[in-house]
Amino acid sequence: MAGTPNFDRRTFLKLSAAAGLAGMAGVTSATPGRDPGPKKDEILVGVSKTADSPQAAVEQHVPGNAEVVHENKSLSYAAVKFPSNAPSHARENFIEAITKKDEVKYAEENATLEALYTANDPKYGSQYAPQQVNADSAWDTTLGSSNVTIAVVDQGVMYDHPDLSSQFGSDKGQDFVDNDNDPYPDVLSDEYHGTHVAGIAAGTTDNNEGIGGISNSTLLSGRALSEGGSGATSDIADAVEWAADQGADVINLSLGGGGYSSTMKNAVTYATQQGSLVVAAAGNDGRRNVSYPAAYSECLAVSALDPDETLARYSNYGDEIDVAAPGTNVLSCWTTSTEYKEISGTSMATPVVSGVAGLALDVYDLSPSDLRNHLKNTAVNVGLSSAKQGSGRVDAANAVTTDPGSGGGGGGGGSTTTTIDDSLSSNADSDCWSYTWEYSSPSQVVVELSGPSNADFDLYVNEGSGTCPSTSTYDYRSWTTDSNEQITIDNPDTAADLAMMVDSYSGSGSYTVTITEKE
């Protein structure tokens, strides 16, 4: 049913405006000679895309003892490396100074993220995870399809493993640690996490070999973690962007740590806009604190269950959790000989969900937003709080047999879309809009901004209050380095109209805001 929302518009000046410059499209890989893994001496500087290039905008402000060592033009950031013996206040002073420059949107440490698994005594054993999520029943409908691609951004994957080789095409992936196009693990005895994750999501099923993965989807490996299981934000963000550009339908991130990062947020926003569902691990601290990148609204956050479907003691939980999946003692592929071993963690729960997503995509043509809703709507309540299970334990059989339009598992299945077209005249211009809800209890609202390519517009949203957000006070912000922004809100607060602001960080031109409300 078409909606008939009402809009009120007011245009006002920002108290302080900053003109910006930004980079061209495209990406350059890590500069040869960069050390693999963590890059604790680097600062990532995000630059508005109206500049000639991120490197050109940043290097004029870099002190003599530092240098620009890497840039990503699609995500529009540059990495500045300081000497390892430089005092910490040198980097802090640089962040403070560079963020005052008109063309710079943010500066942050190149934080280290780690694989989110909890090692135990690996042992052979029977699988239970596919049965727990009813994958065996789903396989009566589909085993999955090579037309669906799951990208594993992780350690390298042993793509010649007997249970994985048929899931890889001619393009095995990309290595963002060693800067080449071969994502094979460097040290097989140490680098098993990516292979284990890949086997859970898409180890070949029904081939008289080893284990059965959740789906027979095509695999793509983005090696962004070293053999030690850790990696720099820049390598992981570059890998996420690359996977989206390769057409990955699902991007699996069994990793986390480092806190909020604008660089990583921009990467998962970019991937979502390119049509990829980003599935991420909640974290293994055993506390109420969902790890980033899972905590970003664009990501489908996954908590881990024990075999008895209680929350695993190591699993993080919180309001950001979307679904749960088995994560304890999950059997999958290993990198020594043709072994199969059990390990535990939200890292293991995440590819279960990615595999279920792959099965659903073989049956239904769904956008990332609709696929996210479908997995949540077809999840099974296992008796935990929403902070621990989200919408419930993911269920493969429900996901492939429930028509997304039927609203099975919750929601009425309807949606309404409304667009707003207007323009901003300069970087001192902003528009505020209010949207009247069509549904009394929508399951989700997606707000998208499409603006001019030669400007940098940002999107801010408030829910529940009806008050217009500002650049400093808001509930949600999409603040990438270009004018394409997206905000997804699950179970939005409809106590008042949705309030949205389109702000020009730099430049002028026409824009379109699209609001999609779903029952």
Side-chain angles (χ1 to χ4, degrees):
M1 179 176 67
T4 56
N6 298 315
F7 294 97
D8 295 313
R9 179 183 186 275
R10 63 180 183 272
T11 304
F12 53 90
L13 297 179
K14 294 185 294 181
L15 292 177
S16 60
L21 310 176
M24 301 180 297
V27 61
T28 57
S29 296
T31 304
R34 279 162 60 81
D35 293 333
K39 299 174 175 63
K40 62 184 179 64
D41 298 319
E42 291 184 5
I43 302 298
L44 304 181
V45 184
V47 179
S48 179
K49 276 202 172 178
T50 48
D52 292 336
S53 76
Q55 180 168 344
V58 171
E59 61 186 358
Q60 60 184 307
H61 306 298
V62 173
N65 65 338
E67 62 178 330
V68 175
V69 294
H70 173 65
E71 70 171 354
N72 182 317
K73 292 182 178 179
S74 288
L75 299 181
S76 198
Y77 76 84
V80 177
K81 187 178 189 306
F82 283 76
S84 58
N85 61 355
S88 60
H89 65 77
R91 291 186 291 274
E92 295 168 0
N93 291 343
F94 173 70
I95 290 175
E96 182 179 359
I98 195 76
T99 50
K100 294 177 181 177
K101 304 303 179 183
D102 287 345
E103 68 272 19
V104 174
K105 297 201 78 169
Y106 68 86
E108 61 190 14
E109 293 183 2
N110 195 354
T112 300
L113 282 72
E114 298 181 348
L116 292 176
Y117 69 97
T118 299
N120 56 19
D121 295 327
K123 62 181 180 179
Y124 295 104
S126 60
Q127 288 181 270
Y128 79 94
Q131 294 89 338
Q132 191 174 84
V133 300
N134 292 318
D136 47 352
S137 297
W139 294 336
D140 292 336
T141 300
T142 178
L143 289 172
S145 168
S146 60
N147 293 326
V148 176
T149 298
I150 299 175
V152 177
V153 174
D154 206 289
Q155 289 180 328
V157 176
M158 185 183 180
Y159 48 72
D160 58 358
H161 188 287
D163 238 342
L164 296 176
S165 58
S166 63
Q167 304 309 110
F168 280 89
S170 57
D171 181 6
K172 305 299 189 289
Q174 188 76 18
D175 188 336
F176 293 86
V177 176
D178 292 336
N179 188 40
D180 58 45
N181 60 3
D182 185 1
Y184 204 79
D186 278 358
V187 182
L188 288 174
S189 60
D190 296 334
E191 195 170 342
Y192 48 81
H193 187 268
T195 299
H196 199 271
V197 166
I200 296 170
T204 310
T205 301
D206 201 29
N207 67 338
N208 294 312
E209 182 75 48
I211 55 103
I214 301 295
S215 71
N216 279 352
S217 300
T218 293
L219 285 167
L220 198 60
S221 173
R223 184 173 183 255
L225 302 182
S226 69
E227 55 269 23
S230 59
T233 294
S234 57
D235 290 342
I236 298 165
D238 289 358
V240 169
E241 181 224 359
W242 164 84
D245 286 344
Q246 304 313 301
D249 299 287
V250 179
I251 300 176
N252 189 95
L253 298 180
S254 290
L255 48 81
Y260 183 96
S261 161
S262 291
T263 304
M264 188 63 68
K265 176 73 160 59
N266 290 346
V268 298
T269 297
Y270 177 87
T272 303
Q273 292 172 341
Q274 295 299 111
S276 304
L277 176 68
V278 183
V279 184
N284 290 350
D285 301 313
R287 58 194 177 99
R288 190 183 183 103
N289 181 34
V290 176
S291 175
Y292 289 101
Y296 297 127
S297 60
E298 292 85 355
C299 295
L300 188 76
V302 182
S303 61
L305 302 176
D306 283 338
D308 64 358
E309 297 197 325
T310 58
L311 186 74
R313 61 174 178 76
Y314 53 79
S315 179
N316 286 7
Y317 58 96
D319 294 340
E320 297 88 352
I321 294 296
D322 292 298
V323 292
T328 301
N329 295 337
V330 179
L331 185 69
S332 187
C333 304
W334 209 251
T335 51
T336 52
S337 184
T338 56
E339 288 183 295
Y340 299 83
K341 294 189 178 183
E342 295 177 357
I343 54 176
S344 303
T346 53
S347 271
M348 285 60 255
T350 301
V352 172
V353 176
S354 293
V356 173
L359 291 175
L361 285 174
D362 186 41
V363 180
Y364 305 110
D365 184 13
L366 299 170
S367 68
S369 175
D370 288 339
L371 177 57
R372 174 197 184 108
N373 271 349
H374 185 61
L375 294 176
K376 295 176 68 172
N377 288 343
T378 56
V380 175
N381 184 348
V382 294
L384 301 176
S385 68
S386 61
K388 293 181 178 180
Q389 69 171 1
S391 295
R393 189 257 300 141
V394 72
D395 191 279
N398 288 347
V400 302
T401 60
T402 304
D403 186 339
S406 71
S415 67
T416 181
T417 298
T418 301
T419 60
I420 308 166
D421 294 303
D422 213 303
S423 64
L424 297 176
S425 60
S426 72
N427 64 355
D429 198 7
S430 298
D431 288 345
C432 193
W433 300 91
S434 65
Y435 170 82
T436 301
W437 299 98
E438 179 69 21
Y439 304 123
S440 59
S441 299
S443 63
Q444 185 184 76
V445 64
V446 180
V447 185
E448 299 169 278
L449 169 65
S450 177
S453 59
N454 60 348
D456 182 359
F457 291 179
D458 299 320
L459 179 65
Y460 300 80
V461 172
N462 277 347
E463 62 167 334
S465 67
T467 59
C468 185
S470 70
T471 56
S472 58
T473 304
Y474 52 84
D475 292 332
Y476 301 90
R477 177 181 72 171
S478 185
W479 197 59
T480 66
T481 53
D482 59 21
S483 298
N484 296 311
E485 310 292 349
Q486 179 174 303
I487 292 171
T488 300
I489 307 173
D490 291 327
N491 303 312
D493 185 345
T494 59
D497 288 353
L498 190 71
M500 301 158 289
M501 185 179 74
V502 180
D503 176 74
S504 171
Y505 182 86
S506 177
S508 61
S510 299
Y511 66 83
T512 298
V513 175
T514 302
I515 305 106
T516 303
E517 186 184 348
K518 302 177 182 181
E519 283 191 292

